[in-house]
Amino acid sequence: MSTFPVYRPRRLRANENLRRLIRETTLSVNDLIYPMFVVHGHNTATEISAMPGCYQYSVDTLVLAAKELAALGIPGTILFGIPEAKDPVGSEAYADDGIIQQAVRAIKDAVPDLLVMTDVCLCEYTDHGHCGVIEAGEVRNDPTLELLVKESLSHARAGADVIAPSDMMDGRVGVIREALDENGYENIPIMAYSAKYASAFYGPFREAAESTPQFGDRRSYQMDPANAEEALREVALDIQEGADVLMVKPALSYLDVIHRVKTEFQVPVAAYNVSGEYAMVKAAAQNGWIDEERVALEVLNSIKRAGADIILTYFAKSVVEWLQD
């Protein structure tokens, strides 16, 4: 009798149909959210140099891009705004005629079924580039909460489907949830950036959103990349305060955190495949060093395999085309 193992794993790898039948993780269009950037102006779509294939759209061209997402079957977008003018308290973030508020109304008028998520933060709108109110050279937590509430309510009034606070101020989910409920928006979910790390992978985004801090950095409010237990505490707090979806950002260097959040809390988990992760793949592919499609799909499958239910990614449109092919 042969001593060779009876079980030969390669038997089920012999051809693509066998591989399809036993595939444990399946990436689909249903997993994807496409981030977009919107600026003032008309008939403009300016490519972001560090993020090939991504653009700063004026509202009219943003609507065309939104129609493309709907045609591809992508469930939704998350919007980031670049204001006409910045000031110390980010006034346009919570103005009813602000760029995001205009964009939400335009998309919901033109493509009502497309899910519109709005990033709630101040960094794109402040002249200092930080995510909160500055007093005596420090980002103050509680005064910032008041402005985040105003911003969230203005997005809700404009028609946003999901509010996504990304500022990492303590207690912001609770005050936003309370304000939404008190103003008749109890059915609008909150997708909290619960474990948002002070990451070096955000560089290209800061070009796209024109939000580089003018002094210091964001490590006093975003998380230390060395910490995972702290992420679980942050997630637990956001659940207690009323978050409906918990996000880990970035994704690729924090697959362990995604997995631990999903395993421990069994709640919907989002992961943001951020600008630096996107830019690295695009740059290497443009140099002929890697196969963009295979690498991007491998990255996104790893995020899904780790436990993410929702993946925010600049590859979303390409993924739909690759999966169709």
Side-chain angles (χ1 to χ4, degrees), residues 128-146:
H128 47 74
H130 279 285
C131 302
V133 174
I134 301 293
E135 293 179 1
E138 295 184 3
V139 179
R140 295 294 307 278
N141 194 93
D142 294 3
T144 300
L145 298 183
E146 299 175 20

Side-chain angles (χ1 to χ4, degrees), residues 6 45 88 157 190 204 296 310:
V6 174
R157 285 192 296 270
I190 293 175
I310 301 166

